[in-house]
Amino acid sequence: MAEPGSPLDASCIRFDAASELIAARDPAISHGAAIDLLVRAVWNGDFEPPPLSSPYPTRAQLEARAQRDAWMLVPIEAPRTSLSDGQAGLSVRPVEFFKAGRKSIIDVMYCRGLLPGDIAGWHALLDWRVEDPARREAEALSALARIPVSAYTAEARVYLASLIIPRSKLQAWLDTRSAKFHSLFVPIEPSVPAAPAPPAAANDSGEAATAHRRGRPVLAAWPMIEAAAHQINRENPDLPRKVLAGQLHQLALREFDEDDVPNEATILRRLGSILGDAGPSSQNEA
């Protein structure tokens, strides 16, 4: 579990508010159906932070998980040690919002008795003392992804409605499912005419160079690389270009085959034209 987050962050939205906006955009989807879609997406892992390779995560993976929009915010009872004696004695304990994934959510709901159906069944499935707990947890998540929200108790539905998600994460997920939800949670920025692609450098030996010379399509990963370059540069403008090129290369390899990804040196040479400047500054060359 990471550090506490803020539910008042304007870049985030609660599940109940998000489901209302989804239902308003598409009359064929009710508020209940919308929140059902969001909850199932949680259990399916659609809103998980970027994964880490084991046992040695890369720097790019660690930086991706450190981004503010990588995690959901989940209400969890404040640790008893952080409360005064009077607060700890309340029948309803104060909560804090923590950055967390679906495993933390299922643990919290299990401990509070908020999972659908009888607690004995969930205890038999999730008891950490049983054999192969990782497989049991995977079975539990698979079951939850197929259980409608209507099967949960009223208290559990209130808890699910209070989950908070970054707007950009939710928008990216919706965009993969239907064009009718474009810009619902993240407004589309005014488009800027793309700068003409520079001629390939004489020493470019990769596919990007031969594509320009022969009129063949550019590598499939370039559009993703350019979009990611703008986003990362906006969020961290002081990031050295060599580091940025390395991050972009690693991100592209996660989404595309190696043959469709330009090498890191080519990405570094193209960053100046992608970001609309004359080239890396002396600081970024360091």
Side-chain angles (χ1 to χ4, degrees), residues 19 22-23 28-40 149:
S19 61
I22 291 172
I29 300 178
S30 66
H31 174 270
I35 203 164
D36 190 85
L37 289 173
L38 297 180
V39 171
R40 289 176 191 259
V149 170

Side-chain angles (χ1 to χ4, degrees), residues 215-235:
R216 293 166 56 191
V218 297
L219 294 177
W222 272 117
M224 173 268 190
I225 290 172
E226 293 180 3
H230 284 286
Q231 179 179 350
I232 296 174
N233 188 62
R234 283 196 303 269
E235 296 173 350

Side-chain angles (χ1 to χ4, degrees), residues 81 89 124 142 172 190 199 225 237 240:
T81 55
S142 175
I225 290 172

Side-chain angles (χ1 to χ4, degrees), residues 27-270:
I29 300 178
S30 66
H31 174 270
I35 203 164
D36 190 85
L37 289 173
L38 297 180
V39 171
R40 289 176 191 259
V42 169
W43 302 134
N44 280 323
D46 296 340
F47 300 142
E48 290 294 279
L52 293 176
S53 55
S54 180
Y56 303 111
T58 66
R59 178 178 177 179
Q61 290 172 335
L62 293 172
E63 291 179 347
R65 285 171 72 89
Q67 298 296 320
R68 62 185 299 174
D69 61 351
W71 298 83
M72 293 182 59
L73 292 178
V74 177
I76 299 176
E77 287 188 354
R80 188 175 294 273
T81 55
S82 69
L83 303 177
S84 67
D85 291 341
Q87 292 172 331
L90 295 173
S91 59
V92 178
R93 291 249 300 276
V95 300
E96 294 178 355
F97 283 82
F98 288 83
K99 296 177 182 178
R102 59 178 179 166
K103 290 183 179 179
S104 294
I105 298 174
I106 195 173
D107 286 345
V108 171
M109 296 187 71
Y110 170 56
C111 292
R112 292 181 55 181
L114 297 180
L115 294 176
D118 64 293
I119 190 62
W122 289 110
H123 180 73
L125 188 58
L126 293 173
D127 186 356
W128 63 269
R129 294 168 296 181
V130 301
E131 181 182 358
D132 199 356
R135 178 180 62 82
R136 296 294 190 93
E137 185 176 68
E139 291 177 356
L141 290 167
S142 175
L144 287 168
R146 291 177 287 173
I147 296 176
V149 170
S150 59
Y152 292 72
T153 65
E155 182 183 1
R157 292 196 295 270
V158 169
Y159 182 83
L160 292 169
S162 70
L163 299 178
I164 294 176
I165 186 170
R167 289 174 176 265
S168 58
K169 181 184 283 287
L170 178 55
Q171 186 66 61
W173 177 76
L174 282 172
D175 286 344
T176 65
R177 278 147 180 80
S178 175
K180 69 178 62 177
F181 299 112
H182 283 348
S183 76
L184 180 59
F185 297 102
V186 179
I188 297 176
E189 296 181 0
S191 59
V192 178
N203 60 351
D204 272 352
S205 59
E207 181 69 16
T210 57
H212 286 292
R213 288 198 294 267
R214 302 176 190 174
R216 293 166 56 191
V218 297
L219 294 177
W222 272 117
M224 173 268 190
I225 290 172
E226 293 180 3
H230 284 286
Q231 179 179 350
I232 296 174
N233 188 62
R234 283 196 303 269
E235 296 173 350
N236 193 354
D238 295 326
L239 188 69
R241 289 291 165 81
K242 290 181 181 178
V243 177
L244 175 56
Q247 290 186 10
L248 294 171
H249 186 250
Q250 291 299 317
L251 287 172
L253 287 175
R254 287 168 46 191
E255 301 292 335
F256 298 90
D257 293 333
E258 187 173 359
D259 291 342
D260 293 326
V261 178
N263 60 46
E264 191 171 327
T266 301
I267 295 174
L268 179 61
R269 283 195 296 271
R270 294 279 297 275

Side-chain angles (χ1 to χ4, degrees), residues 9-15 17-18 21 163-167 170 185:
D9 190 334
S11 67
C12 297
I13 188 169
R14 279 173 52 115
F15 267 24
L21 291 175
L163 299 178
I164 294 176
I165 186 170
R167 289 174 176 265
L170 178 55
F185 297 102

